[in-house]
Amino acid sequence: MAQELLLSVDDAIEYVRNNVKVGDTLEISYNRIFAPGEVLSIIEEDEVTGEGLRVNLQLNGEILNQAVEIDFKEIYDDLLEMNHITDDEEITIEIDF
């Protein structure tokens, strides 16, 4: 059974920080991009470089199957929705504007 949450962008990023683990599936929708993939790593913010919380994903797909790094600071204003899928549950996070 899928659970739905309505969160602010800050709360959604905090959710990723506290709940998403390596090996989970994370589907991120921002701007006009849909990036579904397996979480390879989660990298905390870096105040020296100014980078935000970053998630490395191995994208799912038959044509496009590559690793990407998504910086939540860069997509902050464009984040629309995320699906967090584990072996036990699926959580849909909608962004409240």
Side-chain angles (χ1 to χ4, degrees), residues 5-12 15 93-97:
L5 302 173
L6 183 62
L7 300 175
S8 68
V9 176
D10 291 322
D11 289 341
Y15 174 89
I93 300 168
E94 294 183 32
I95 302 304
D96 183 23
F97 293 100

Side-chain angles (χ1 to χ4, degrees), residues 1 8-9 12-14 17-21 29 34 37 44 51-52 55-58 76-77 81-82 86 92 95:
M1 183 170 133
S8 68
V9 176
I13 293 170
E14 193 65 28
R17 178 180 292 110
N18 294 325
N19 297 292
V20 176
K21 307 290 183 230
S29 296
F34 176 67
E44 292 293 327
E51 295 173 317
V55 175
N56 287 304
L57 296 175
Q58 178 70 42
Y76 187 90
D77 292 330
E81 182 179 277
M82 292 187 292
T86 65
T92 299
I95 302 304

Side-chain angles (χ1 to χ4, degrees), residues 5 9 12 19-20 28 30 32 43 48 50 53-54 61 67-68 70 73 76 78 80 88:
L5 302 173
V9 176
N19 297 292
V20 176
I28 303 172
Y30 61 98
R32 295 183 181 170
I43 304 165
V48 175
L53 181 72
R54 290 162 285 152
V68 297
I70 297 176
K73 185 175 182 179
Y76 187 90
D78 297 322
L80 302 171
D88 301 329

Side-chain angles (χ1 to χ4, degrees), residues 52-67:
L53 181 72
R54 290 162 285 152
V55 175
N56 287 304
L57 296 175
Q58 178 70 42
L59 295 179
N60 300 335
E62 294 180 21
I63 296 174
L64 183 64
N65 190 6
Q66 64 182 6

